[in-house]
């Protein structure tokens, strides 16, 4: 094989995995949850199963209840949405990354509020296999957490 | 400044040596040994469970990060306690809102009557009716009005029972500064709490 | 030479003795309230001690767990990697360089226009959630980004938040 052909082979491989097709059916799932330790934990909601082990191992709780969630499909444009709960509000602004930035990911602008108090604002990249958690305040019964993940 | 918990098992210096080799299990044992005492003193300083929890963890993490520099010139707990106090005092400094009640330490009281600054402002309350929770609330509110440095010396001296030299070592200031801070911190607390404690 | 405040504190705590105590007590003769103030100060100390009981640390094992998790997460970020060149490694590095070249080439292919409002970042790690920028809502909050490679999760760890009592209804 001629060495000069190698870059062309790579280009062909890369063109085969266009970002549009890779992310065509993905969505961003965002939620505010209450994590706690229960002697007999309730079964985790189906939608939390992909991140259950990560949450359990990192934060040490065994029960996770969804306080509020939103699922959004982000196509070519910027999408904005809110995850409202009784006291915590997550504002999300998202778009797909371009191939210059990172393939198959999303760029997010997030703001988390506790009632009217802003807690944190962040700009983050969300990969398809790698969720993002935010550790919120401790409640007498557990801890408030935020979860964002790419859903296929 | 000794741990109040059982120190069964390897002694602190053996555990520290383990930590210096990167053994997190050894560090876990040290955390278990001192966590209650550390949390208790941090709670006294910040008067809030969540903050005390977070800051005590922060103290342990800072100790882990710098354990390579521990040379055994003091006990592990003394060394750790100093880190912990710095974490707490730094946090209080960042958080504290200056109040108009702050004493001015530059004023000498040589010619002032020592009791003069302690006249209660509030009406005397029938303390027998005051619930414990209310007393705690009054103490919390009074301590919040002290500067970070004054709060630290009061907690270390009056609650933790340390002597001046130990406080000086932990807070990194001179013996004279410790005594002077104690003087003003006590005066301020007398002003704020006399109506409570004088009637118990 | 001790200041008045220093000597007064030491006198209250019974830390003066001998000639120093006698000299200071002479100095206090001009302060008729001093003895009453001493008793009041000692009472204050006793009052603080009596009301200083702290509830034991709740969930102590979880407390340790969180510390160890953070240590592990920091290790993942900070772990130094030793490296020795060898022929097989050079071959792999060559392959990797070619791959990077392929990616760079691909990056020059025009893409769709970018909406405004996001900072540019040059990372090429699509599989990992990554914090580009973060700011706390107020100075009492601190934010620490961390990554746990075992579960491939990225965590924004907020501290300095208010504790929410049981009466605080989250639902």
């Amino acid at each position: 094989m001629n060495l000069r052909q190698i870059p062309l082979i790579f280009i062909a491989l890369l063109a085969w995995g266009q970002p549009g097709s890779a992310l065509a059916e993905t969505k961003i799932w965002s939620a505010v949850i209450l994590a706690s330790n229960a002697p007999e934990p309730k079964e985790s909601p189906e939608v939390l199963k992909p991140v259950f082990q990560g949450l359990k191992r990192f934060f040490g709780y065994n029960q996770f209840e969804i306080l509020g969630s939103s699922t959004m499909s982000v196509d070519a444009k910027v999408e904005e949405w809110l995850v409202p709960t009784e006291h915590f509000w997550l504002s999300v602004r998202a778009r797909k990354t371009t191939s210059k930035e990172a393939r198959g990911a999303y760029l997010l602008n997030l703001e988390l509020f506790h009632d009217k108090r802003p807690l944190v604002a962040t700009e983050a990249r969300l990969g398809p296999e790698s969720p993002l958690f935010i550790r919120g305040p401790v409640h007498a019964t557990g801890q408030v957490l935020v979860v964002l993940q790419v859903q296929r | 400044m000794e741990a109040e918990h059982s120190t069964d098992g390897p002694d602190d210096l053996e555990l520290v040596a383990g930590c210096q080799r990167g053994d997190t299990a050894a560090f876990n044992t040290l955390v278990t040994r001192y966590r209650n005492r550390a949390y208790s003193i941090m709670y006294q300083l910040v008067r809030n469970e969540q903050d005390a929890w977070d800051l005590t963890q922060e103290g342990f993490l800072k100790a882990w990060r710098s354990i390579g520099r521990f040379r055994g010139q003091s006990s592990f707990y003394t060394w750790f306690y100093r880190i912990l106090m710095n974490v707490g005092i730094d946090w209080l400094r960042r958080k504290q809102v200056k109040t108009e009640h702050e004493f001015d330490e530059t004023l000498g009281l040589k010619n002032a009557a020592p009791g003069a600054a302690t006249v209660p402002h509030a009406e005397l309350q029938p303390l027998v009716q005051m619930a414990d929770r209310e007393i705690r609330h009054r103490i919390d509110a009074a301590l919040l009005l002290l500067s970070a440095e004054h709060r630290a010396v009061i907690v270390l001296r009056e609650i933790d029972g340390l002597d001046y030299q130990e406080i000086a070592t932990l807070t990194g200031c001179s013996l004279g500064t410790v005594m002077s801070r104690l003087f003003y911190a006590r005066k301020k607390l007398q002003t704020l709490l006399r109506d409570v404690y004088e009637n118990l | 030479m001790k200041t008045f405040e220093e000597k007064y504190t030491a006198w209250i705590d019974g830390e003066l003795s001998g000639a120093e105590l006698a000299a200071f007590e002479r100095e206090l003769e001009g302060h008729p309230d001093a003895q009453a103030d001493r008793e009041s100060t000692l009472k204050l100390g006793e009052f603080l001690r009596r009301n200083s009981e702290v509830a034991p640390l709740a969930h102590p094992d979880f407390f340790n767990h969180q510390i160890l998790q953070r240590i592990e997460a920091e290790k993942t970020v900070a772990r130094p990697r030793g490296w020795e060149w060898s022929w097989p490694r050079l071959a792999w590095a060559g392959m990797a360089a070619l791959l990077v070249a392929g990616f760079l080439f691909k990056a020059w292919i025009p893409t769709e226009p970018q909406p405004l409002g996001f900072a540019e970042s040059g990372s090429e790690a699509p599989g990992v959630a990554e914090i580009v920028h973060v700011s706390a809502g107020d100075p009492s909050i601190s934010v620490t980004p961390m990554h746990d490679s075992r579960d491939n999760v990225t965590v924004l760890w907020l501290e300095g938040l208010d504790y929410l009592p049981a009466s605080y209804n989250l639902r």
Side-chain angles (χ1 to χ4, degrees), chain A residues 57 59 101 103 114 125, chain C residues 62 69 123 130 151 168:
Chain A
R57 263 209 285 258
F59 296 105
E101 293 159 335
R103 285 167 51 77
H114 179 188
R125 193 194 321 273
Chain C
F62 180 44
Q69 276 289 356
S123 170
E130 187 184 357
D151 291 304
Y168 196 88

Side-chain angles (χ1 to χ4, degrees), chain B residues 82 153 164-165 167-178 181:
Chain B
R82 185 165 184 172
V153 293
Y164 301 153
Q165 186 55 59
I167 299 171
T169 305
L170 290 175
T171 54
C173 57
S174 72
L175 216 54
T177 304
V178 169
R181 283 180 181 169

